[in-house]
Amino acid sequence: EADIYQTPRYLVIGTGKKITLECSQTMGHDKMYWYQQDPGMELHLIHYSYGVNSTEKGDLSSESTVSRIRTEHFPLTLESARPSHTSQYLCASSELIEQFFGPGTRLTVL
Amino acid sequence: GEDVEQSLFLSVREGDSSVINCTYTDSSSTYLYWYKQEPGAGLQLLTYIFSNMDMKQDQRLTVLLNKKDKHLSLRIADTQTGDSAIYFCAEIPAVAGTALIFGKGTTLSVSS
């Protein structure tokens, strides 16, 4: 069983708030990812990291930012949340072939 | 660019076999994956196949890969109501590092 955690699982906030979605993994994986899943269930890569101090933007443009100061931790931050940010955010990690996902954070911005 | 296509819905009766199909465009894909997502949950890795293989079987799951037609399928034998979920096909394009490209998912509905 892969150990990858996301908090909070659900978050409802008002427009303009700053939020950080947490993602941690205990497997020592170098590679970590953030995907955004829209209501139609399609997944889009928004950020990835291949190791400490390495972060890259994904295919889908996102106003969020990420950091990778520790191997096990890959938080995603929205400086000023908007209703268009309402979505499910999925974190994942991988080492070689298998990519494991966390349970997701469902974000609603009012 | 890379693209992964899946049919959106499949409905089967309990005990029947389910076959979920996927097509992809990147002929240099190295690995192809099947993930399962239940309501309110993350994605669970079901199985994957290396691009030089034609078939992989794992208990009730059989993956078939037709590399010439860029077609991947997932067969679930003796489908159960607990198999109801969304199934995602994904690939790793050869030039895109290790990030996955996903299809839009196939919703499998199993009736008793």
mmCIF file of all heavy atoms in Angstrom, chain A residues 40-41, chain B residues 6-12 20 37 83-88 104-110:
data_model
loop_
_atom_site.group_PDB
_atom_site.id
_atom_site.type_symbol
_atom_site.label_atom_id
_atom_site.label_comp_id
_atom_site.label_asym_id
_atom_site.label_seq_id
_atom_site.Cartn_x
_atom_site.Cartn_y
_atom_site.Cartn_z
ATOM 1 N N GLY A 40 -15.569 17.099 -15.185
ATOM 2 C CA GLY A 40 -15.715 16.053 -16.179
ATOM 3 C C GLY A 40 -14.747 14.908 -15.970
ATOM 4 O O GLY A 40 -14.701 13.988 -16.782
ATOM 5 N N MET A 41 -13.996 14.951 -14.881
ATOM 6 C CA MET A 41 -13.078 13.923 -14.403
ATOM 7 C C MET A 41 -11.758 13.881 -15.143
ATOM 8 O O MET A 41 -10.906 13.084 -14.811
ATOM 9 C CB MET A 41 -13.725 12.530 -14.415
ATOM 10 C CG MET A 41 -15.051 12.458 -13.686
ATOM 11 S SD MET A 41 -15.000 13.195 -12.039
ATOM 12 C CE MET A 41 -14.135 11.944 -11.130
ATOM 13 N N GLN B 6 -10.740 7.499 -24.677
ATOM 14 C CA GLN B 6 -11.506 6.395 -24.107
ATOM 15 C C GLN B 6 -12.985 6.647 -24.343
ATOM 16 O O GLN B 6 -13.407 7.803 -24.397
ATOM 17 C CB GLN B 6 -11.331 6.311 -22.584
ATOM 18 C CG GLN B 6 -9.958 6.056 -22.078
ATOM 19 C CD GLN B 6 -9.918 6.028 -20.556
ATOM 20 O OE1 GLN B 6 -9.251 6.854 -19.946
ATOM 21 N NE2 GLN B 6 -10.612 5.091 -19.939
ATOM 22 N N SER B 7 -13.754 5.575 -24.429
ATOM 23 C CA SER B 7 -15.198 5.742 -24.423
ATOM 24 C C SER B 7 -15.614 6.148 -23.012
ATOM 25 O O SER B 7 -14.965 5.790 -22.035
ATOM 26 C CB SER B 7 -15.890 4.435 -24.832
ATOM 27 O OG SER B 7 -15.423 3.377 -24.029
ATOM 28 N N LEU B 8 -16.699 6.895 -22.885
ATOM 29 C CA LEU B 8 -17.032 7.508 -21.610
ATOM 30 C C LEU B 8 -17.808 6.599 -20.659
ATOM 31 O O LEU B 8 -17.678 6.735 -19.444
ATOM 32 C CB LEU B 8 -17.820 8.799 -21.843
ATOM 33 C CG LEU B 8 -17.058 9.922 -22.535
ATOM 34 C CD1 LEU B 8 -17.940 11.154 -22.662
ATOM 35 C CD2 LEU B 8 -15.774 10.270 -21.770
ATOM 36 N N PHE B 9 -18.636 5.709 -21.216
ATOM 37 C CA PHE B 9 -19.492 4.899 -20.345
ATOM 38 C C PHE B 9 -19.509 3.448 -20.797
ATOM 39 O O PHE B 9 -19.394 3.148 -21.976
ATOM 40 C CB PHE B 9 -20.941 5.428 -20.360
ATOM 41 C CG PHE B 9 -21.073 6.830 -19.862
ATOM 42 C CD1 PHE B 9 -21.194 7.877 -20.749
ATOM 43 C CD2 PHE B 9 -21.063 7.111 -18.503
ATOM 44 C CE1 PHE B 9 -21.301 9.182 -20.298
ATOM 45 C CE2 PHE B 9 -21.174 8.412 -18.044
ATOM 46 C CZ PHE B 9 -21.291 9.451 -18.943
ATOM 47 N N LEU B 10 -19.657 2.565 -19.806
ATOM 48 C CA LEU B 10 -19.852 1.143 -20.079
ATOM 49 C C LEU B 10 -20.754 0.598 -18.996
ATOM 50 O O LEU B 10 -20.518 0.841 -17.807
ATOM 51 C CB LEU B 10 -18.512 0.395 -20.079
ATOM 52 C CG LEU B 10 -18.585 -1.117 -20.285
ATOM 53 C CD1 LEU B 10 -19.124 -1.450 -21.670
ATOM 54 C CD2 LEU B 10 -17.215 -1.761 -20.080
ATOM 55 N N SER B 11 -21.776 -0.142 -19.411
ATOM 56 C CA SER B 11 -22.704 -0.721 -18.457
ATOM 57 C C SER B 11 -22.743 -2.230 -18.667
ATOM 58 O O SER B 11 -22.916 -2.694 -19.792
ATOM 59 C CB SER B 11 -24.099 -0.120 -18.665
ATOM 60 O OG SER B 11 -25.002 -0.637 -17.715
ATOM 61 N N VAL B 12 -22.556 -2.987 -17.586
ATOM 62 C CA VAL B 12 -22.566 -4.450 -17.689
ATOM 63 C C VAL B 12 -23.366 -5.025 -16.535
ATOM 64 O O VAL B 12 -23.650 -4.349 -15.540
ATOM 65 C CB VAL B 12 -21.137 -5.052 -17.669
ATOM 66 C CG1 VAL B 12 -20.301 -4.515 -18.817
ATOM 67 C CG2 VAL B 12 -20.463 -4.830 -16.339
ATOM 68 N N ILE B 20 -12.836 -2.448 -21.390
ATOM 69 C CA ILE B 20 -12.685 -0.993 -21.503
ATOM 70 C C ILE B 20 -11.556 -0.724 -22.486
ATOM 71 O O ILE B 20 -10.460 -1.287 -22.349
ATOM 72 C CB ILE B 20 -12.371 -0.366 -20.139
ATOM 73 C CG1 ILE B 20 -13.479 -0.711 -19.142
ATOM 74 C CG2 ILE B 20 -12.232 1.149 -20.261
ATOM 75 C CD1 ILE B 20 -13.172 -0.317 -17.710
ATOM 76 N N GLN B 37 -10.720 4.806 -10.161
ATOM 77 C CA GLN B 37 -11.078 5.849 -9.209
ATOM 78 C C GLN B 37 -12.501 5.639 -8.725
ATOM 79 O O GLN B 37 -13.452 5.679 -9.515
ATOM 80 C CB GLN B 37 -10.946 7.246 -9.830
ATOM 81 C CG GLN B 37 -11.163 8.365 -8.807
ATOM 82 C CD GLN B 37 -10.961 9.743 -9.402
ATOM 83 O OE1 GLN B 37 -11.267 9.978 -10.570
ATOM 84 N NE2 GLN B 37 -10.447 10.675 -8.601
ATOM 85 N N ASP B 83 -16.750 -3.312 -8.674
ATOM 86 C CA ASP B 83 -15.909 -2.829 -9.769
ATOM 87 C C ASP B 83 -16.447 -1.530 -10.369
ATOM 88 O O ASP B 83 -15.775 -0.911 -11.200
ATOM 89 C CB ASP B 83 -15.812 -3.889 -10.878
ATOM 90 C CG ASP B 83 -15.080 -5.142 -10.416
ATOM 91 O OD1 ASP B 83 -14.116 -5.024 -9.631
ATOM 92 O OD2 ASP B 83 -15.481 -6.256 -10.846
ATOM 93 N N SER B 84 -17.645 -1.134 -9.962
ATOM 94 C CA SER B 84 -18.209 0.129 -10.464
ATOM 95 C C SER B 84 -17.306 1.283 -10.055
ATOM 96 O O SER B 84 -17.034 1.484 -8.867
ATOM 97 C CB SER B 84 -19.612 0.353 -9.891
ATOM 98 O OG SER B 84 -20.520 -0.610 -10.373
ATOM 99 N N ALA B 85 -16.826 2.030 -11.034
ATOM 100 C CA ALA B 85 -15.863 3.098 -10.780
ATOM 101 C C ALA B 85 -15.541 3.769 -12.122
ATOM 102 O O ALA B 85 -16.097 3.400 -13.156
ATOM 103 C CB ALA B 85 -14.578 2.548 -10.164
ATOM 104 N N ILE B 86 -14.642 4.728 -12.065
ATOM 105 C CA ILE B 86 -14.116 5.322 -13.300
ATOM 106 C C ILE B 86 -12.734 4.725 -13.544
ATOM 107 O O ILE B 86 -11.908 4.658 -12.621
ATOM 108 C CB ILE B 86 -14.021 6.854 -13.198
ATOM 109 C CG1 ILE B 86 -15.401 7.431 -12.905
ATOM 110 C CG2 ILE B 86 -13.471 7.441 -14.498
ATOM 111 C CD1 ILE B 86 -15.399 8.931 -12.676
ATOM 112 N N TYR B 87 -12.491 4.292 -14.773
ATOM 113 C CA TYR B 87 -11.227 3.673 -15.140
ATOM 114 C C TYR B 87 -10.487 4.590 -16.114
ATOM 115 O O TYR B 87 -11.022 4.987 -17.149
ATOM 116 C CB TYR B 87 -11.470 2.297 -15.769
ATOM 117 C CG TYR B 87 -11.974 1.304 -14.758
ATOM 118 C CD1 TYR B 87 -13.322 1.284 -14.391
ATOM 119 C CD2 TYR B 87 -11.111 0.406 -14.136
ATOM 120 C CE1 TYR B 87 -13.783 0.394 -13.435
ATOM 121 C CE2 TYR B 87 -11.561 -0.483 -13.185
ATOM 122 C CZ TYR B 87 -12.904 -0.478 -12.841
ATOM 123 O OH TYR B 87 -13.357 -1.357 -11.877
ATOM 124 N N PHE B 88 -9.250 4.892 -15.745
ATOM 125 C CA PHE B 88 -8.432 5.781 -16.561
ATOM 126 C C PHE B 88 -7.307 4.998 -17.219
ATOM 127 O O PHE B 88 -6.589 4.235 -16.572
ATOM 128 C CB PHE B 88 -7.815 6.888 -15.710
ATOM 129 C CG PHE B 88 -8.799 7.897 -15.217
ATOM 130 C CD1 PHE B 88 -9.418 7.749 -13.990
ATOM 131 C CD2 PHE B 88 -9.101 9.023 -15.977
ATOM 132 C CE1 PHE B 88 -10.327 8.692 -13.526
ATOM 133 C CE2 PHE B 88 -9.998 9.968 -15.519
ATOM 134 C CZ PHE B 88 -10.625 9.797 -14.294
ATOM 135 N N LYS B 104 -9.840 10.552 -20.557
ATOM 136 C CA LYS B 104 -10.885 11.222 -19.785
ATOM 137 C C LYS B 104 -11.621 10.281 -18.846
ATOM 138 O O LYS B 104 -12.470 10.723 -18.080
ATOM 139 C CB LYS B 104 -11.875 11.908 -20.729
ATOM 140 C CG LYS B 104 -11.253 13.054 -21.496
ATOM 141 C CD LYS B 104 -12.277 13.774 -22.359
ATOM 142 C CE LYS B 104 -11.605 14.913 -23.104
ATOM 143 N NZ LYS B 104 -12.552 15.670 -23.950
ATOM 144 N N GLY B 105 -11.323 9.012 -18.924
ATOM 145 C CA GLY B 105 -11.935 8.060 -18.006
ATOM 146 C C GLY B 105 -13.191 7.418 -18.558
ATOM 147 O O GLY B 105 -13.980 8.062 -19.259
ATOM 148 N N THR B 106 -13.371 6.146 -18.246
ATOM 149 C CA THR B 106 -14.570 5.398 -18.621
ATOM 150 C C THR B 106 -15.318 5.043 -17.354
ATOM 151 O O THR B 106 -14.750 4.408 -16.453
ATOM 152 C CB THR B 106 -14.211 4.097 -19.372
ATOM 153 O OG1 THR B 106 -13.523 4.414 -20.577
ATOM 154 C CG2 THR B 106 -15.469 3.284 -19.686
ATOM 155 N N THR B 107 -16.572 5.470 -17.264
ATOM 156 C CA THR B 107 -17.388 5.131 -16.104
ATOM 157 C C THR B 107 -18.000 3.751 -16.307
ATOM 158 O O THR B 107 -18.774 3.545 -17.249
ATOM 159 C CB THR B 107 -18.506 6.167 -15.892
ATOM 160 O OG1 THR B 107 -17.907 7.437 -15.631
ATOM 161 C CG2 THR B 107 -19.378 5.776 -14.702
ATOM 162 N N LEU B 108 -17.635 2.807 -15.456
ATOM 163 C CA LEU B 108 -18.175 1.451 -15.509
ATOM 164 C C LEU B 108 -19.290 1.320 -14.489
ATOM 165 O O LEU B 108 -19.089 1.560 -13.298
ATOM 166 C CB LEU B 108 -17.078 0.426 -15.220
ATOM 167 C CG LEU B 108 -17.538 -1.032 -15.110
ATOM 168 C CD1 LEU B 108 -18.084 -1.537 -16.438
ATOM 169 C CD2 LEU B 108 -16.392 -1.925 -14.631
ATOM 170 N N SER B 109 -20.461 0.937 -14.965
ATOM 171 C CA SER B 109 -21.611 0.730 -14.094
ATOM 172 C C SER B 109 -21.968 -0.754 -14.131
ATOM 173 O O SER B 109 -22.208 -1.307 -15.205
ATOM 174 C CB SER B 109 -22.790 1.583 -14.568
ATOM 175 O OG SER B 109 -23.944 1.302 -13.805
ATOM 176 N N VAL B 110 -21.999 -1.384 -12.961
ATOM 177 C CA VAL B 110 -22.292 -2.809 -12.867
ATOM 178 C C VAL B 110 -23.623 -2.984 -12.148
ATOM 179 O O VAL B 110 -23.783 -2.542 -11.010
ATOM 180 C CB VAL B 110 -21.188 -3.556 -12.104
ATOM 181 C CG1 VAL B 110 -21.479 -5.059 -12.081
ATOM 182 C CG2 VAL B 110 -19.827 -3.286 -12.721
#
